[in-house]
Amino acid sequence: MEITLVQGDITEQRVDAVVNAANSSLLGGGGVDGAIHRRGGPEILAECRALRADRYAGGLPAGQAVATTAGRLPARWVIHTVGPVYAKSEDRSHLLTSCYAESLKVADSLAARVVAFPAVSAGVYGWPMDDAARIALATVRAAGTRVTEARFVLFGAEAYRVFSDVLARLD
Ligand code: AR6
């Protein structure tokens, strides 16, 4: 599998699936989540509401992932995952690892081959970017998956630089 990095807006990616850094409610928010729902339109939210009613009455737990279609986005699917909120007092990195591993499993179940990821938990949820990058890249690199390209779409030059440095050290 190829890991690629681009600086940009994940909602513009013409890929099979984009991963959303959602919250447990699946009903939208700020950051990537807000951008995906704004640009994707109300279809995504309608599917999220149905998921809440059917499968996730208590919300989607941190570390898990679930797909909807992508409405008006150029991608075909949105894979919603819920990152952990960063906490200095507790190591929650297994949950961030799980976000990437579970998102790839959902991608495989959809036969998605090219998947765009944001830096899950590295915005509102406060995860330090270098550690978020290390967990993201190492997990994706180690995954057994039929995904052929994992494209990290980084918002801003600094996030892109951090991911590039971490990726170079992984190789
Ligand atoms: N494309 C790519 N990356 C983006 C975009 C975009 N359009 N917009 C922001 N980022 P965040 P989290 C970057 O906060 O930390 C929401 O309210 C951003 O700069 O989107 O997992 C949800 O509803 C940062 O580097 O996700 C949850 O409540 C990274 O994406 C909560 O935020 C992730 O930032 C989730 O917080």
Side-chain angles (χ1 to χ4, degrees):
M1 185 234 279
E2 193 187 4
I3 296 179
T4 55
L5 309 181
V6 301
Q7 188 184 324
D9 181 342
I10 201 164
T11 65
E12 293 171 2
Q13 301 298 309
R14 201 165 287 282
V15 291
D16 297 315
V18 297
V19 173
N20 181 18
N23 60 59
S24 284
S25 80
L26 292 177
L27 302 179
V32 176
D33 198 12
I36 284 176
H37 282 287
R38 254 192 325 275
R39 290 199 55 155
E43 254 177 60
I44 302 174
L45 190 58
E47 285 184 52
C48 284
R49 287 193 200 284
L51 281 168
R52 283 297 307 278
D54 300 343
R55 281 168 65 186
Y56 298 107
L60 181 68
Q64 295 193 26
V66 67
T68 64
T69 56
R72 295 195 290 259
L73 296 180
R76 178 135 181 241
W77 309 99
V78 177
I79 299 172
H80 306 265
T81 192
V82 180
V85 176
Y86 182 72
K88 268 195 183 146
S89 56
E90 188 190 352
D91 183 5
R92 297 178 179 164
S93 53
H94 64 288
L95 291 171
L96 190 52
T97 298
S98 177
C99 286
Y100 290 98
E102 293 300 314
S103 294
L104 287 169
K105 280 188 202 162
V106 172
D108 280 339
S109 75
L110 300 168
R113 294 292 179 261
V114 181
V115 180
F117 289 92
V120 177
S121 287
V124 173
Y125 283 177
W127 212 286
M129 189 61 78
D130 56 344
D131 199 47
R134 197 180 49 72
I135 293 167
L137 292 166
T139 305
V140 168
R141 170 62 57 85
T145 174
R146 293 193 315 266
V147 169
T148 56
E149 181 187 350
R151 184 182 305 170
F152 286 88
V153 182
L154 292 325
F155 211 49
E158 178 59 14
Y160 180 82
R161 186 193 62 74
V162 172
F163 266 72
S164 300
D165 287 354
V166 172
L167 183 60
R169 286 202 299 274
L170 273 192
D171 288 335

